[in-house]
């Protein structure tokens, strides 16, 4: 059973234990793109993705990586008392560029003395071995996480949301990343079109059989200007209610191995972009609803996981 104040292994506690201080992520926009956007895959992007690629849009405003870090540091230090930072390359696909370009942007982020590592959001079909080799070399001095967008363990769902890769490609990326001892965080979305609760739980069971170190759990919400908005307005997609999401998220966690670090259990929609559901804006209320549900049902991370539980974090320090 997971111990501590939450019924799952939370990310903030992991970072505090690792660095002995408050560590906060800084979301960065490096001005990269995505093969699901630039025509490489012959698609126009995932059905839910906003024009900024789920990022800040800072690059289009002329802000360099150093500018973005400097601005965020002062705010996060004042609000959260953060002393160290992880540079989170969030917008679009952050290994989708020539290696020299990646060296440049990663080095720029790591040049800040308060940045202790990188979290790199990317796709499992965009991680060539040369890039992984370079990140492995960085991991000798910094904490380096690869964050892979899987979203669902069902190929039919991935096709439905125009994801542009399949589950086999994801497994291959995880295996090549772990062969270099780089920790992997997997992004999943609950409430994808036509997925049932059993299918969402099946994704958790699938991940429990893989060598992963973290997950981010998102709820699907409708963003203005996306293909999903059109489906929603035409009546072809129904959003989860808060109660349905809480049930699904709790069940997902209960089938996830207890050693996996849970980096997120809610989303952060932009208020001006959100179409539905409005309850996703109430982050603290959603978190409290999840904790209350898990307490009431006696649920905790790993409760229904039948595989052996790891006893320590297999991560570089």
């Amino acid at each position: 059973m997971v111990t501590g104040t939450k019924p799952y292994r939370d990310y903030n506690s992991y970072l505090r234990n690792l660095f002995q201080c408050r560590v906060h992520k800084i979301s960065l926009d490096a001005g990269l793109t995505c093969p699901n956007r630039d025509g490489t895959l012959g698609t126009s992007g995932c059905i839910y993705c906003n024009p900024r690629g789920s990022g800040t849009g800072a690059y289009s405003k002329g802000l360099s990586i150093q500018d973005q870090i400097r601005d965020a540091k002062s705010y996060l230090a004042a609000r959260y008392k953060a002393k160290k930072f992880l540079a989170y390359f969030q917008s679009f696909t952050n290994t989708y560029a020539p290696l020299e370009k990646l060296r440049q942007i990663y080095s720029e982020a790591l040049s800040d003395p308060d940045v202790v590592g990188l979290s790199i959001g990317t796709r499992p079909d965009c991680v060539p071995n040369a890039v992984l080799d370079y990140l492995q070399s960085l991991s000798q001095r910094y904490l380096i996480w690869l964050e892979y967008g899987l979203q669902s363990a069902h190929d039919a769902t991935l096709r439905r949301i125009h994801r542009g890769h399949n589950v086999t490609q994801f497994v291959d990326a995880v295996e090549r990343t772990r062969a270099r001892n780089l920790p992997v965080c997997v992004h999943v979305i609950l409430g994808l079109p036509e997925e049932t609760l059993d299918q969402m739980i099946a994704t958790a069971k699938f991940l429990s059989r893989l060598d992963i170190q973290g997950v981010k759990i998102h709820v699907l919400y409708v963003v203005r200007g996306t293909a999903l908005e059109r489906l929603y307005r035409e009546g072809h997609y129904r959003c989860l209610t808060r109660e349905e999401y809480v049930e699904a998220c709790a069940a997902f966690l209960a089938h996830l191995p207890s050693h996996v670090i849970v980096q997120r259990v809610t989303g952060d929609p932009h208020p001006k972009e959100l179409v539905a559901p409005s309850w996703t804006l109430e982050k603290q209320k959603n978190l409290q609803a999840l904790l209350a549900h898990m307490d009431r049902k006696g649920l905790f991370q790993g409760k229904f996981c039948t595989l052996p539980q790891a006893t320590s974090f297999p991560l570089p320090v």
Side-chain angles (χ1 to χ4, degrees):
M1 179 175 180
V2 176
T3 59
T5 59
K6 294 179 180 177
Y8 53 85
R9 194 172 298 279
D10 73 283
Y11 188 52
N12 285 337
S13 297
Y14 153 71
L15 289 175
R16 184 177 289 277
N17 288 337
L18 197 59
F19 294 102
Q20 299 303 303
C21 66
R22 179 65 185 258
V23 181
H24 210 288
K25 274 187 174 181
I26 295 176
S27 295
L28 300 174
D29 181 349
L32 302 181
T33 184
C34 170
N36 210 8
R37 287 292 191 98
D38 67 3
T40 299
L41 298 178
T43 59
S44 57
C46 302
I47 65 171
Y48 49 78
C49 194
N50 70 16
R52 298 177 302 169
S54 299
T56 65
Y59 182 83
S60 64
K61 299 173 184 175
L63 296 175
S64 68
I65 297 297
Q66 288 183 333
D67 291 337
Q68 295 174 54
I69 290 175
R70 183 188 63 248
D71 292 348
K73 274 176 56 177
S74 58
Y75 169 77
L76 295 171
R79 179 167 181 179
Y80 299 106
K81 310 302 181 187
K83 297 183 181 300
K84 298 294 181 181
F85 303 90
L86 288 177
Y88 177 29
F89 286 90
Q90 180 181 19
S91 302
F92 296 107
T93 303
N94 292 282
T95 56
Y96 186 57
L99 181 56
E100 284 309 307
K101 171 66 173 178
L102 299 177
R103 287 178 183 269
Q104 173 193 334
I105 62 175
Y106 300 158
S107 296
E108 186 176 354
L110 292 170
S111 67
D112 189 292
D114 294 322
V115 171
V116 294
L118 308 176
S119 282
I120 301 170
T122 189
R123 294 167 53 92
D125 55 346
C126 293
V127 279
N129 287 331
V131 171
L132 291 176
D133 289 341
Y134 173 62
L135 294 174
Q136 181 184 30
S137 70
L138 290 180
S139 71
Q140 306 307 308
R141 296 179 55 202
Y142 303 99
L143 178 64
I144 309 293
W145 278 80
L146 269 293
E147 298 194 18
Y148 289 126
L150 171 63
Q151 319 312 359
S152 170
H154 306 283
D155 279 336
T157 299
L158 298 184
R159 289 191 295 271
R160 195 175 297 124
I161 64 175
H162 301 168
R163 185 65 189 159
H165 66 73
N166 57 36
V167 175
T168 298
Q169 289 171 295
F170 166 77
V171 173
D172 172 69
V174 169
E175 290 177 345
R176 289 186 293 112
T177 305
R178 292 301 297 138
R180 293 161 173 82
N181 201 36
L182 295 167
V184 169
C185 177
V186 183
H187 290 232
V188 297
I189 300 177
L190 304 183
L192 290 167
E194 299 183 34
E195 280 213 345
T196 65
L197 176 60
D198 285 344
Q199 287 177 306
M200 297 178 217
I201 293 173
T203 292
K205 292 179 178 179
F206 167 77
L207 292 178
S208 73
R209 299 191 295 271
L210 298 181
D211 181 14
I212 66 166
Q213 289 62 55
V215 296
K216 281 186 176 179
I217 306 172
H218 305 263
V219 60
L220 184 61
Y221 50 80
V222 182
V223 171
R224 205 173 308 282
T226 63
L228 184 61
E229 181 189 12
R230 185 174 65 253
L231 291 175
Y232 172 76
R233 295 197 185 281
E234 292 173 352
H236 300 307
Y237 174 70
R238 183 186 71 83
C239 301
L240 293 180
T241 65
R242 192 198 322 265
E243 293 73 21
E244 288 171 330
Y245 180 70
V246 163
E247 180 184 6
C249 188
F252 191 98
L253 290 168
H255 287 85
L256 196 69
S258 61
H259 69 275
V260 173
I261 301 162
V262 180
Q263 294 199 17
R264 173 182 287 275
V265 294
T266 62
D268 278 314
H270 194 288
K272 293 183 179 180
E273 294 181 345
L274 182 68
V275 174
S278 59
W279 62 262
T280 55
L281 294 171
E282 300 172 323
K283 185 173 182 178
Q284 288 305 311
K285 187 174 181 178
N286 298 334
L287 177 58
Q288 291 305 314
L290 174 64
L291 296 178
H293 175 86
M294 295 185 75
D295 181 63
R296 186 168 59 252
K297 297 291 186 179
L299 297 176
F300 52 87
Q301 182 182 342
K303 179 173 183 176
F304 300 132
C305 184
T306 58
L307 297 174
Q309 305 289 300
T311 56
S312 61
F313 299 125
L315 304 175
V317 177

